[in-house]
Amino acid sequence: MTRVPGLFTLVLHTHLPWLAHHGRWPVGEEWLYQSWSASYLPLMRVLRTLAAEERRGLVTLGITPVVSAQLDDPYCLDNMYHWLANWQLRALEATTVASPEALREFGSREHAEATRALEDFAVLWRHGASPLLRELIDAGTVELLGGPLAHPFQPLLHPRLREFALREGLADAGQRFAHVPAGIWAPECAYAPGMEHDYAAAGVGHFMVDGPSLHGDTALGRPVGAGDVVAFGRDLKVSYRVWSPKSGYPGHAAYRDFHTYDHTTGLKPARVTGRMVASADKAPYDPGRAERAVDAHVEDFVRIVVDRLTDESERIGRPAHVIAAFDTELFGHWWYEGPVWLERVLRALPAAGVRVGTLNDAVAAGYTGAAVDLPPSSWGSGKDWQVWSGEQVADLVQLNSEVIDTALTTVDKLHEQTSAVGARPPRDFVADQILRETLLTVSSDWPFMVSKDSAADYARYRAHLHAHATREIASAVASGRGEAARRLADGWNRADGLFGALDARRLPRP
């Protein structure tokens, strides 16, 4: 076996907005349970299998605090169990004599899959995701990437709230996993000049940007400015081979079609068949055909990685670093065969002579180059900030600014009222809930969904709902109605009780 020069890193970004207690269908908790069953359960199974083979440094796994909160939440855990049982029943219904033969066969396979998921969940997941992830981190199978609470678009955030969200997010990961991440996946890969200083102050040593932020030269990580914080760029030539805005493996005719439902059972029994084929004309899913496509795409991806590492190493005159980065939910939720492809790729790359490692491994092995000044950027359309700051979402930008100003002013007032000169104020549940609702208001998901016209009404509803919660509690504080403020904070907390360790006293002072 010929050793390929350099290092390959797979980075997965796991994120959904806070969905618990905020609707069920078509947008709401169903989104969480679909992603959990189709992506998170299979991914955990793959990583545990490979960890048992003592494979190390396989994946750099970003888990946002808001996803961690939901995967550990007792309410979400109970409802996930019911969702899996319902999936099993729907699959059983598809096996009845009244169903077409192709659907009966599909239902039998789906029933076996749902049964396995239920068994996995009952045995491994009933105490949440954190114990499982901690095992993988302890074993060195994955490197954990963290992020700020509630996934805000950081460049547009008030500096005080930006610092608070980042530090609280890292602390949240430390409490759940007994590991404070050394690196982060910045929400939307968004960067503004100077943010590297925030990262350094918070103990973050590296972060992800999209390839164009480094002008496409992603062969090495780059220290940003005069500091030591390293920016790693996604290699678009490799990443887009799997999935891009226009093409990628999941669109292959043999794979299961995401958009075509059997409306009686809610299952997805068709294959893609063709990009221009109407749902009613899609062919039945054929597992054997899909298996052959997976193997072909594994072989193709390994070839692309080997060629890219070889070419980039020759270009820069030293071993290069290639990073492929994706949303975790691509694997399973959007692309049913994705977890199988992922496991086979993680076996095939080392067999082909490719060294696989994490971002931490890259730093330790010196895969860094000359310092660089990064432009304002993101991984959104245009690779700039337009998705989160453009004219289409100008109202949300204004809403965020007003709500943040209200929150900071109110929390400062509460601390002034309860603090003796020079003393730390006692913890204030009202102040905590104000910041909790504010962070949910400024989640980057809402402008993204509006800009992409993806459940835009739901996104606007959620942004305004959390803004209303912030303002309602703050108004009671401003008018001196302390008891009313406490009742309101308690009421909103019943729906939005995530991040229980959030402590408003840690908000940076003006």
Side-chain angles (χ1 to χ4, degrees), residues 470-495:
T470 304
R471 289 165 166 166
E472 186 176 48
I473 302 169
S475 177
V477 172
S479 61
R481 295 178 292 121
E483 185 57 37
R486 286 187 286 275
R487 286 198 305 271
L488 288 167
D490 181 66
W492 285 108
N493 187 260
R494 291 184 192 126

Side-chain angles (χ1 to χ4, degrees), residues 332-395:
H333 178 55
W334 297 105
W335 177 22
Y336 170 75
E337 297 80 8
V340 174
W341 178 90
L342 198 63
E343 180 173 356
R344 294 180 187 177
V345 158
L346 291 172
R347 295 182 189 279
L349 285 168
V354 175
R355 181 189 173 195
V356 177
T358 65
L359 295 184
N360 268 334
D361 293 333
V363 172
Y367 284 93
T368 54
V372 66
D373 291 321
L374 296 178
S377 56
S378 77
W379 77 337
S381 301
K383 307 304 180 183
D384 54 18
W385 299 350
Q386 62 181 289
V387 170
W388 298 273
S389 64
E391 183 176 347
Q392 194 171 359
V393 293
D395 60 320

